[in-house]
Amino acid sequence: MSDVLIVGGGFAGTWAAAGAARLLRAHDAAATVTLLAPGPDLVIRPRLYQAAPAAYRVPLDRVLGPIGVRRVAATATGIDTARRTVTADGAEGRTEHRYERLVLATGSTLVRPDLPGAERLHDVDTMAAAVALEDHLQALPEAPAGPGRFTAVAVGAGFTGVEIAAELVGRLRAVAAPHGLADEVEVVLVERDEVVGRGLGEPARPVIERALDELGVVRRLGVTVAGVDERAVRLSDGTAIPARTAVWTAGVRADGLTAQIPAARDALGRLAVDEWLRVRGVPEVYAAGDTAAAPAEDGHTVTQSCQHATPQGKFAGHNAAADLLGLAREPFTTDPYVTCLDLGGAGAVLTKGFDRALNDIPVTEAKARKRAINESWIYPPVDDAAEILRAADHRVSQRGPVPAPPR
Ligand SMILES: Cc1cc2nc3c(=O)[nH]c(=O)nc-3n(C[C@H](O)[C@H](O)[C@H](O)COP(=O)(O)OP(=O)(O)OC[C@H]3O[C@@H](n4cnc5c(N)ncnc54)[C@H](O)[C@@H]3O)c2cc1C
């Protein structure tokens, strides 16, 4: 039996556990916090488009251990909100976990297409997929020579598609150059829309287009992928691109466990939550991160992003624990929305707000910001309980100084 049970060990789940532990400690409450997730690590998912992805993880025990959160290694398979139980499969077989308050933070998954050769499509949505892509790229020099050996096709020109296309130029060159084959590198970005990155906003598009030109990324717009085989990617217009690598990026949905909560969900499968991140109509259940359609500034809804998952986790954990103790809950607020899009060797671009106004700083300066985000800002503190609990304060801006702890 857990007083607060968190399902999911990503950004939202990890910070929910820390947010709950912080409040319970501040009130000397003996209540227990348990985090249930399949793997032992917090995967730094926003970095999975980069080279050497296996390193982008933080052992959950180094965050949860010092603050007294119990970790259970298992995959949740069922939620019964009437009985307040979660069933899970792990090394000990099927187990049942009772809760007083539940935080559902199981994230999102890429929707893969149903087309001939779909199993050949790589992606960068999970650690396993990102490592498989890295292994595939590293093995290309040993693959039979021929057209398309160092050509990669990225499918979908949204945030992840542009980032992986830009990054693949440098990653493929690093693999091919030691064999004198860097000239064979080509990256093609395939997009069904007539423009690149429509969702990233009009103001950023010229910067993105310039960067893709500089990197030599070929754009095939107004088409989609019809099939993939060992040697080529076939497009919907009947043409084929000789390529040994194809990376699918289009379409992300909230994890399927959201469907087991009897509540309204949006088009992305996210649960409708109130200002405390409590699932509407299910009082003991909170949702945070990519599973939750939470309110953001100016009437907007949060995006499925690390920058929104982290504060949602802190608020959801705090509020679940406050609810348990009969304390006042805090309405969710978050820093104003920004995006920082990596353009690989051509820098990065920053936008502000949901209308994505361009933050017109040089691409090199934006790249330094992206590095700070990827290599520092999104990592939790480890090993030091006081530091972890201080960072778990839901009132701490992710971008600002850390305030004194509350009494
Ligand atoms: C390539 C890429 C680039 C990105 N770039 C950015 C960026 O620049 N900026 C940004 O803000 N966001 C970015 N994102 C999005 C960001 O990574 C996600 O929005 C964020 O990870 C969501 O956090 P989360 O905790 O909700 O879910 P996740 O981080 O996905 O964590 C979900 C957790 O739930 C666990 N889980 C899943 N199913 C179960 C189950 N059945 N039982 C138990 N546990 C389960 C998983 O193992 C994992 O621990 C990027 C994502 C990708 C893939």
Side-chain angles (χ1 to χ4, degrees):
M1 162 76 183
S2 302
D3 294 305
V4 181
L5 177 64
I6 321 281
V7 183
F11 292 94
T14 302
W15 285 113
R22 175 184 159 277
L23 188 74
L24 294 172
R25 277 204 182 195
H27 289 270
D28 290 327
T32 57
V33 182
T34 304
L35 185 145
L36 193 153
D41 299 315
L42 163 64
V43 172
I44 307 298
R45 211 172 149 202
R47 298 193 69 181
L48 294 181
Y49 67 98
Q50 294 185 292
Y56 306 142
R57 56 173 99 215
V58 176
L60 282 166
D61 288 341
R62 294 185 62 188
V63 184
L64 306 179
I67 58 172
V69 173
R70 188 168 73 101
R71 180 172 70 82
V72 174
T75 302
T77 52
I79 301 173
D80 185 334
T81 53
R83 292 179 57 234
R84 295 195 198 170
T85 57
V86 171
T87 45
D89 289 340
E92 290 165 19
R94 178 145 301 178
T95 49
E96 191 176 81
H97 304 262
R98 297 205 67 239
Y99 61 82
E100 288 295 331
R101 297 292 178 277
L102 175 71
V103 180
L104 185 65
T106 46
S108 55
T109 48
L110 181 70
V111 182
R112 290 177 58 95
D114 181 17
L115 50 82
E119 69 284 356
R120 293 187 178 280
L121 289 166
H122 288 273
D123 69 70
V124 289
D125 198 51
T126 63
M127 175 62 84
V131 168
L133 172 63
E134 175 76 359
D135 291 347
H136 167 84
L137 296 178
Q138 294 296 335
L140 286 174
E142 282 77 52
R149 177 160 50 148
F150 292 101
T151 300
V153 175
V155 190
F159 195 95
T160 302
V162 171
E163 282 199 333
I164 188 69
E167 195 74 2
L168 276 172
V169 175
R171 288 176 68 179
L172 281 165
R173 282 195 190 135
V175 168
H179 303 270
L181 299 170
D183 287 352
E184 290 188 23
V185 169
E186 183 167 46
V187 175
V188 183
L189 185 55
V190 170
E191 167 58 51
R192 173 167 67 180
D193 200 349
E194 299 295 336
V195 294
V196 163
R198 189 183 295 280
L200 302 170
E202 298 282 325
R205 192 172 309 132
V207 185
I208 296 168
E209 294 279 11
R210 256 196 318 276
L212 295 176
D213 287 345
E214 185 186 321
L215 295 167
V217 174
V218 175
R219 275 84 92 196
R220 294 293 306 273
L221 303 175
V223 286
T224 185
V225 172
V228 186
D229 62 34
E230 207 182 332
R231 296 277 175 150
V233 174
R234 282 178 289 108
L235 302 183
S236 52
D237 64 357
T239 61
I241 304 167
R244 307 276 174 91
T245 308
V247 185
W248 182 267
T249 72
V252 169
R253 269 185 74 81
D255 176 64
L257 278 180
T258 51
Q260 298 200 17
I261 308 285
R265 287 175 296 142
D266 72 359
L268 296 171
R270 301 182 298 179
L271 290 159
V273 293
D274 62 20
E275 68 265 47
W276 302 297
L277 305 183
R278 192 172 61 167
V279 175
R280 289 187 187 279
V282 193
E284 298 84 19
V285 179
Y286 290 75
D290 287 359
T291 57
E297 70 265 24
D298 303 332
H300 292 282
T301 302
V302 291
T303 55
Q304 287 181 306
S305 65
C306 174
Q307 76 176 281
H308 283 145
T310 295
Q312 282 183 76
K314 295 178 189 181
F315 274 91
H318 175 93
N319 285 338
D323 199 7
L324 192 71
L325 299 182
L327 301 171
R329 289 164 299 178
E330 302 272 346
F332 172 65
T333 57
T334 180
D335 287 328
Y337 182 52
V338 294
T339 63
C340 190
L341 177 75
D342 203 338
L343 297 169
V349 62
L350 277 166
T351 68
K352 291 180 286 191
F354 280 85
D355 57 358
R356 298 180 193 267
L358 185 65
N359 183 338
D360 205 5
I361 58 174
V363 287
T364 47
E365 217 174 290
K367 182 75 172 192
R369 180 85 62 93
K370 185 71 180 182
R371 286 215 177 93
I373 293 168
N374 274 2
E375 294 166 21
S376 167
W377 290 9
I378 60 178
Y379 279 76
V382 292
D383 303 332
D384 179 341
E387 194 52 36
I388 296 163
L389 293 172
R390 190 157 44 241
D393 189 334
H394 55 283
R395 297 161 309 168
V396 174
S397 163
Q398 291 178 83
R399 302 165 198 153
V402 177
R407 194 31 250 145

